[in-house]
Amino acid sequence: MSQSQSQSPSPSQGPSPTLAVKGPYLPTPGVFDEMMFPDGTVRPHWRTFASFLEQCSSSDLTSRADTIQRLLYDHGVTYNVFDDTLGTSRPWMLDVLPFLVSNADFQSVSTALSQRIRLLEAVLQDIYGPQRLIKENLLPPQLVYANPGFLRPVCGVNPPGGRFLNVYGCDLVRNPADAWIVLADRTQSPASHGYTLENRTILGQVFQEEFHTSHVRRITDYFDLMRETLRGLSPLARRGDAGILMLTPGPRYETYFEHAFKARHLGFPLVECADLTVRDRRLWLKTLEGLKRVDVILRHIDDIDSDPLEMRGDRELGIPGLTEAWRSGSVALVNGLGTSLVETPALNPFLPGICRKLLGENLLIGSVPTWWCGQQRELQRVLDAPTRWVLKPAFARGARDPIFLDHLSRAELAQMLDRLRAAPQDWIAQERLTLSTAPTLSQGKVQPRSLVWRSLGLAVSGNQYNFLPGGLSRVSPEPDRWVVTMRSGGISKDTWVVSPDPLQSPPPPAPAPAVIRPARPPSGVPSRAADHLFWLGRYAERLEQTVRLLRASLNRVMGERSDVQTREDTACLALLSSAKLIPPTATRLLDHLPDLMRDSSRPGSLPDLLSRIRFNAASARDRLSDDTWRLIHRMERDARLPAGAFLSTNAHATLDTLILDLAAFGGMHLENVTRGHGWRFLELGRRLERASHCAALLSSAVTIGARDDSVLPPLLEIFDSTMTYRRFHFARPALAPAIHLLLMEETNPRSIGYQLKKLGQLVRHLPEDRNMDSTGAERSITDDLQSHLLAFPLSKLAEQPQLLLENHTRLCETLDKGLDSLSDTITERFFSHATRSIR
């Protein structure tokens, strides 16, 4: 697939700029460079952008790169890798320079890959059907039956919609002959859509003018088409009411960010396996209102993890009965089960012959030259000259973990060849391929780096396929590195498909007649998502109360010392002890404050609570706005103390900043979130946690205040009610008025009475399951709690300190037990559907 763009420019094409950013850009000799010809002139489709780079200073380019990293951090973009030192939070790497593809090149590749999808679809239809390819010796049986991707339960299945492959990904590299060839097929659950969209969003901000001047094709139209295509896959043709979901392994999966990002962009709920159940060969989503029918699943879990009944029962993931539901035609899977079979690179040598047999066409795009060692001649060829080959597992996704035989010692090579002879069908051999290079910013210089381009395609109808005009490109972080993957530390690039002429936007469609319908109440919130939102609210509130308690205590340590301040300091230590933040024997706050603010392994510390907030937010990420996620990242950043010795002034500034961050989080939750069931459960968590914490803290404070009222000023400060008390009572804080303000005053948003009132309002709007009787237990509990509070005879007990203490302690114990009961009742009713049935 040699392209005309690669020819040297004629004089009529005009001057071709050179590039120098902190030193000239020097392509690697003998290697195809995507931007430059061997004589140093710039390729035509790069000229507009290269002209900008020619005028760009090193500091400007570095500044834009810093902006990109800040935006990636604010957006929480990660690629989770579990077997490296960065754990589950490896930052996503995006190069400041895009990779440019000419429109002619893109169209040529799209045509060739459209044929390849048709070919792979035909292979899957044959292998899971009549298996003529095996019978006619076009495909070795070992390549199928020894492949873990071959799923016998799929044999004979006619997928809903008639196809196995609806979405497709392909890793492309350019060989030294200027031809794009296939490095790896991605057919099981092609990733990178979300990352591609995020990369484009960020590069579009950083290079606004250059983006439009270069005539870059839009990618958002592709996602609009994907949304409509998925809606059309419903087996029941319920396009207006089709239950379409995105299925993810969960927040600990390596590409979870893109699952959540894509789900929010497409507007489909993101669910995990535990959110789904199969009943009567139909798939159902466990929602707050009960079980909802599911028609289409865009899945991001592996074939073997999909169904423990028919695949592998030792896997933690999976939906029992999913295969039978799909087999019966009641649910469409995108992509279908068993598609990982054709991801093996061992299939590459046989594709040209299979293409002529099944399609009657010559293969338009080749693959990286590959030899499957399961054939005697190919095996012997490798054994005769082992150092010229790269060995890869035949059945690993994308042929990971290449083994460069010329890099092995003599003993290691002999051991590797013994493994090869013992199981030759498990290995492929490839010659080392020199990849093309693309300009990449590295250490302030623009340097060539090896490139892999992932193209993404979508089956639209019949034999028509639409390819995303761009894709996810990756470059190696170091020169002379041939393994270019995100797992190995690769750097992503936004891919621009550029046109020589200005792009013409299609005219907008005629507006449909406006039809105003009554708004329907929000529904379809998975129980698991509601559970995480509930605990997100609880941990956010717990963090705020902890920060307020620590700040009030620190205020008594800093500054001038007086008898009053000393007594208040002692009272704060007692409150901290009652909250189980410090041991009862503690005599100095500063002995424990560094660990409470830095030690993530200490229960109840700020890092511990922030990690719990992040986990629950990540688990419901598709239901949180970008601004909310940025706030969570800001809290994590602001909670970090400066390196070095612990200073009280730094600690105080950090606590002050966290108070503002948490106020912003609460304000955004109250002002910017639609009052759906997701919001309702987050609010329930916040109000329940605040009431529970206030009851426990107030009980301890009253016990202390009965003998020393020095606890009252810090108590009012912790409850953020000092100004309110002063407006109500123009006097020094006294025990009975403080109890009334913090316990019973419903106009004080920090009081227990206010929380109970809000809880009562919230439980009256909880979703109802039409398939089961509602017990109304939540309403009964909140009504009882409010009754206990209203019946508390504070005015009669105000002059009898001992009776006040005893009755107040009993009331707080009653409130605490009732709030625990409310939490348990909500959990049992809404966050577990194990005993529910369909009527």
Side-chain angles (χ1 to χ4, degrees):
M1 294 178 58
S2 180
Q3 305 302 323
S4 60
Q5 70 177 46
S6 301
Q7 304 301 318
S8 297
S10 63
S12 62
Q13 290 176 310
S16 178
T18 58
L19 181 65
V21 178
K22 198 176 180 181
Y25 176 72
L26 301 174
T28 305
V31 176
F32 187 97
D33 188 78
E34 296 291 340
M35 185 177 72
M36 280 191 173
F37 290 103
D39 62 2
T41 56
V42 176
R43 300 183 188 276
H45 63 290
W46 274 87
R47 289 183 180 176
T48 300
F49 191 78
S51 297
F52 154 73
L53 288 180
E54 188 180 30
Q55 303 169 16
C56 186
S57 67
S58 177
S59 60
D60 181 36
L61 209 55
T62 302
S63 175
R64 295 182 191 232
D66 292 340
T67 300
I68 287 174
Q69 292 308 121
R70 177 181 59 79
L71 290 172
L72 289 172
Y73 179 84
D74 287 344
H75 294 181
V77 189
T78 58
Y79 181 87
N80 301 332
V81 180
F82 312 113
D83 53 0
D84 69 357
T85 57
L86 292 177
T88 60
S89 58
R90 174 186 289 184
W92 182 252
M93 302 301 295
L94 173 60
D95 185 39
V96 67
L97 302 180
F99 164 55
L100 274 59
V101 180
S102 71
N103 193 57
D105 211 357
F106 170 72
Q107 295 295 345
S108 176
V109 168
S110 298
T111 299
L113 292 183
S114 294
Q115 181 204 54
R116 192 175 183 93
I117 301 179
R118 290 190 291 119
L119 176 60
L120 296 179
E121 175 69 35
V123 171
L124 288 168
Q125 294 282 355
D126 177 80
I127 290 177
Y128 290 119
Q131 297 191 341
R132 294 192 185 94
L133 294 176
I134 296 176
K135 296 173 183 176
E136 297 178 15
N137 295 322
L138 291 171
L139 199 58
Q142 309 96 299
L143 202 55
V144 175
Y145 300 127
N147 189 339
F150 174 67
L151 303 180
R152 285 174 174 79
V154 178
C155 290
V157 173
N158 181 25
R163 71 170 78 245
F164 283 89
L165 298 176
N166 299 94
V167 291
Y168 170 73
C170 181
D171 288 341
L172 299 166
V173 295
R174 198 193 293 268
N175 65 14
D178 183 15
W180 287 108
I181 56 177
V182 174
L183 177 65
D185 294 292
R186 304 293 184 175
T187 58
Q188 183 173 204
S189 53
S192 301
H193 290 87
Y195 289 122
T196 299
L197 189 59
E198 176 69 13
N199 285 355
R200 175 58 55 88
T201 300
I202 291 179
L203 260 289
Q205 294 181 44
V206 174
F207 289 119
Q208 295 182 28
E209 295 297 328
E210 296 78 9
F211 183 84
H212 294 292
T213 305
S214 298
H215 305 154
V216 181
R217 290 186 55 178
R218 292 163 43 91
I219 65 172
T220 51
D221 296 339
Y222 174 90
F223 291 93
D224 294 339
L225 181 62
M226 174 181 283
R227 185 184 301 110
E228 293 304 313
T229 300
L230 291 174
R231 286 175 177 164
L233 289 176
S234 173
L236 301 180
R238 302 189 302 158
R239 293 177 64 90
D241 192 34
I244 305 174
L245 306 175
M246 282 185 56
L247 180 61
T248 175
R252 299 188 182 278
Y253 191 69
E254 58 189 18
T255 56
Y256 177 76
F257 165 81
E258 86 142 1
H259 300 170
F261 188 82
K262 183 165 66 171
R264 276 193 308 167
H265 186 80
L266 294 176
F268 301 136
L270 184 67
V271 302
E272 298 179 25
C273 294
D275 298 326
L276 300 168
T277 185
V278 175
R279 308 284 176 87
D280 299 326
R281 300 199 300 178
R282 295 177 181 176
L283 188 64
W284 304 86
L285 172 67
K286 305 172 187 176
T287 74
L288 297 172
E289 299 92 344
L291 301 179
K292 302 293 183 181
R293 178 74 180 272
V294 178
D295 299 321
V296 181
I297 286 186
L298 179 59
R299 70 181 180 97
H300 291 283
I301 63 171
D302 292 344
D303 290 336
I304 60 172
D305 289 328
S306 59
D307 185 350
L309 289 182
E310 298 201 47
M311 303 306 172
R312 285 184 56 178
D314 60 340
R315 310 290 285 191
E316 294 183 1
L317 293 172
I319 308 162
L322 177 63
T323 307
E324 179 59 24
W326 176 60
R327 185 187 292 125
S328 70
S330 67
V331 62
L333 299 183
V334 179
N335 280 336
L337 300 178
T339 50
S340 61
L341 172 68
V342 293
E343 287 188 340
T344 171
L347 191 63
N348 291 344
F350 305 96
L351 288 181
I354 294 175
C355 187
R356 288 189 293 270
K357 174 66 177 180
L358 297 182
L359 304 184
E361 304 169 5
N362 290 323
L363 192 63
L364 295 179
I365 186 169
S367 307
V368 173
T370 305
W371 286 262
W372 178 51
C373 297
Q375 296 171 296
Q376 184 58 41
R377 185 180 62 179
E378 282 71 13
L379 172 62
Q380 193 58 48
R381 187 174 185 181
V382 174
L383 295 175
D384 288 344
T387 56
R388 61 176 288 199
W389 304 102
V390 178
L391 288 185
K392 299 178 181 179
F395 303 124
R397 178 184 298 177
R400 291 175 178 170
D401 306 319
I403 300 172
F404 294 84
L405 295 182
D406 62 337
H407 291 176
L408 303 181
S409 67
R410 181 174 299 180
E412 291 172 335
L413 178 60
Q415 185 180 21
M416 186 64 241
L417 294 180
D418 288 340
R419 291 177 60 193
L420 177 61
R421 294 186 187 95
Q425 73 279 357
D426 292 341
W427 298 93
I428 63 165
Q430 295 176 341
E431 293 185 1
R432 181 177 299 183
L433 183 68
T434 300
L435 308 183
S436 65
T437 57
T440 303
L441 183 66
S442 177
Q443 299 178 348
K445 298 181 181 179
V446 179
Q447 301 179 1
R449 292 291 186 267
S450 300
L451 174 97
V452 175
W453 169 27
R454 177 168 296 180
S455 182
L456 300 165
L458 173 70
V460 182
S461 62
N463 288 328
Q464 294 184 348
Y465 299 88
N466 187 286
F467 279 81
L468 187 147
L472 181 72
S473 298
R474 292 107 66 197
V475 290
S476 58
E478 301 100 14
D480 301 325
R481 181 169 174 176
W482 313 119
V483 179
V484 185
T485 65
M486 301 312 298
R487 289 180 60 86
S488 62
I491 303 169
S492 71
K493 278 180 172 288
D494 186 21
T495 304
W496 293 5
V497 174
V498 297
S499 174
D501 303 311
L503 300 173
Q504 299 295 327
S505 300
V515 178
I516 301 177
R517 298 184 177 90
R520 294 178 299 172
S523 62
V525 179
S527 302
R528 177 198 50 81
D531 190 2
H532 286 296
L533 290 171
F534 177 75
W535 281 100
L536 172 61
R538 294 203 66 163
Y539 282 120
E541 187 63 32
R542 194 173 299 179
L543 175 65
E544 180 176 349
Q545 298 302 327
T546 301
V547 170
R548 289 187 177 277
L549 184 52
L550 290 176
R551 186 178 68 167
S553 302
L554 187 58
N555 285 338
R556 272 71 192 171
V557 175
M558 303 175 68
E560 295 182 355
R561 302 294 295 179
S562 65
D563 179 63
V564 172
Q565 192 172 12
T566 300
R567 289 162 56 198
E568 290 182 1
D569 180 21
T570 303
C572 285
L573 289 174
L575 293 178
L576 287 167
S577 176
S578 69
K580 299 181 180 179
L581 292 176
I582 61 175
T585 56
T587 57
R588 293 180 71 250
L589 171 65
L590 295 180
D591 291 340
H592 302 274
L593 189 59
D595 285 347
L596 286 170
M597 297 190 68
R598 281 178 166 171
D599 187 0
S600 60
S601 64
R602 180 165 180 162
S605 68
L606 301 192
D608 173 57
L609 293 175
L610 282 166
S611 69
R612 295 174 187 273
I613 288 173
R614 182 182 179 87
F615 171 77
N616 284 282
S619 299
R621 181 165 186 158
D622 63 311
R623 298 182 178 273
L624 300 177
S625 68
D626 289 336
D627 288 336
T628 300
W629 195 253
R630 277 192 284 270
L631 264 178
I632 292 173
H633 274 277
R634 179 175 172 176
M635 283 191 284
E636 291 180 318
R637 180 180 64 242
D638 291 344
R640 299 191 190 110
L641 290 171
F646 180 87
L647 298 177
S648 298
T649 51
N650 291 337
H652 197 278
T654 297
L655 295 172
D656 279 343
T657 303
L658 281 175
I659 289 291
L660 297 179
D661 291 343
L662 288 160
F665 180 83
M668 185 172 295
H669 162 67
L670 289 175
E671 297 296 332
N672 295 353
V673 181
T674 304
R675 267 38 177 182
H677 293 321
W679 170 86
R680 192 161 288 117
F681 277 89
L682 196 155
E683 181 72 355
L684 272 171
R686 292 183 68 233
R687 297 301 172 188
L688 201 154
E689 183 67 28
R690 181 175 293 185
S692 179
H693 182 274
C694 289
L697 195 64
L698 195 55
S699 178
S700 299
V702 170
T703 301
I704 300 170
R707 60 179 184 271
D708 185 356
D709 62 1
S710 298
V711 73
L712 297 180
L715 180 68
L716 291 169
E717 181 180 329
I718 293 166
F719 277 76
D720 197 20
S721 298
T722 302
M723 295 299 298
T724 306
Y725 186 90
R726 289 174 181 171
R727 286 196 298 269
F728 283 1
H729 311 282
F730 298 95
R732 177 178 171 80
L735 185 60
I739 291 176
H740 181 270
L741 178 63
L742 303 180
L743 179 66
M744 307 181 70
E745 180 55 63
E746 291 187 355
T747 62
N748 178 15
R750 293 283 170 176
S751 74
I752 296 176
Y754 183 89
Q755 313 314 316
L756 295 181
K757 180 180 178 180
K758 286 294 183 182
L759 287 170
Q761 295 171 352
L762 289 166
V763 299
R764 281 165 173 76
H765 293 88
L766 289 176
E768 298 289 342
D769 186 351
R770 292 171 295 180
N771 297 312
M772 64 180 297
D773 294 330
S774 174
T775 62
E778 302 87 358
R779 299 183 188 182
S780 177
I781 294 172
T782 54
D783 289 345
D784 287 346
L785 290 174
Q786 287 180 291
S787 298
H788 283 297
L789 190 63
L790 292 173
F792 184 64
L794 178 60
S795 58
K796 294 181 179 180
L797 299 173
E799 302 301 326
Q800 305 177 63
Q802 187 58 37
L803 285 177
L804 175 60
L805 174 61
E806 293 173 359
N807 283 270
H808 182 270
T809 301
R810 283 196 296 268
L811 174 62
C812 287
E813 290 175 353
T814 299
L815 294 176
D816 187 59
K817 290 179 181 178
L819 291 167
D820 283 346
S821 177
L822 178 61
S823 179
D824 293 342
T825 301
I826 291 172
T827 299
E828 182 179 356
R829 179 180 170 193
F830 294 103
F831 305 153
S832 174
H833 290 253
T835 60
R836 297 197 180 187
S837 61
I838 302 298
R839 294 182 180 177

